Amino acid sequence: MEKFLITQSLLSSWMYMFDCPEGGEEDAKADFVRTLNREKKEPTDAMLNGIEFENAVYAAAAGVQRTPHPKWESGIQKVAAIVRGAPVQVRVQRDIEVCGMTFVAYGILDVLKAGTIYDVKFKNRNFKDVELAGTYLESPQHPMYFYIVPEAREFVYLVSDGSDLYTERYTPDTSRPISDIIGEFILSITSMGLLDTYKEKWLAK
């Protein structure tokens, strides 16, 4: 039986086409098509900052000798204090059947600690300049991970601008079923004429 890989990042790229800033629709679609084709993308400065922040958090949480970050140390320590002592970068997967297809839902948990999944996020803008409430309400990430890790009781986004810490919490009963999101994704790419591309590029090995 054929199985197809599905990830929250692929779903996020697809969903962004319908939630991007006005005027950015063509760029969002082009980015999704590149993601669908599994093309390698050069990381942006924002992505590189996020990776640097996250790695510093893990190092601080593990007690690794390191030079304090000149700009972000306060935020790094606030996040590290929460995740200290927990496994990080945990690879997980679970099969799911939707629309007559079998998918391998796959993800990497930033942190799994005592029934709570933590995800570390870095904002490249100061918190006073952004609206934070409900930032991740429509994200497919927590629905996906609640399905893959059914024993998880809570998903917490740990968001820092390098100085302050903002948390956004979700539970399984307040999250959309990932099967609904996957179903909408399949119907959407079918209508776009991209289902065969998905089946070719995301066939599970």
Side-chain angles (χ1 to χ4, degrees), residues 153-171:
R153 301 186 300 273
E154 188 176 38
F155 188 108
V156 182
Y157 294 94
L158 300 173
V159 190
S160 179
D161 60 359
S163 178
D164 295 322
L165 174 65
Y166 164 75
T167 61
E168 194 164 298
R169 299 173 180 272
Y170 294 92
T171 58

Side-chain angles (χ1 to χ4, degrees), residues 16 29 37 65 114 120 124-125 146 156 161 167 185 194 204:
Y16 186 67
K29 182 178 180 180
N37 279 283
Q65 284 276 31
V120 179
N124 283 272
R125 295 171 62 195
F146 277 136
V156 182
D161 60 359
T167 61
F185 167 75
L194 294 172

Side-chain angles (χ1 to χ4, degrees), residues 174-203:
T174 59
S175 303
R176 290 186 67 197
I178 193 60
S179 57
D180 288 357
I181 299 173
I182 294 173
E184 292 170 6
F185 167 75
I186 292 300
L187 290 175
S188 176
I189 63 172
T190 299
S191 69
M192 295 168 67
L194 294 172
L195 180 61
D196 287 343
T197 300
Y198 169 71
K199 287 183 173 182
E200 175 190 352
K201 300 293 185 177
W202 294 79
L203 182 65

Side-chain angles (χ1 to χ4, degrees), residues 62-103:
V64 174
Q65 284 276 31
R66 47 182 290 276
T67 302
H69 196 282
K71 295 187 295 182
W72 306 335
E73 192 61 23
S74 175
I76 289 166
Q77 292 299 333
K78 287 174 182 176
V79 178
I82 295 173
V83 306
R84 186 166 288 120
V88 301
Q89 297 293 283
V90 181
R91 297 176 183 271
V92 292
Q93 66 181 59
R94 184 183 176 193
D95 287 2
I96 183 171
E97 293 190 11
V98 184
C99 297
M101 299 169 62
T102 301
F103 301 89

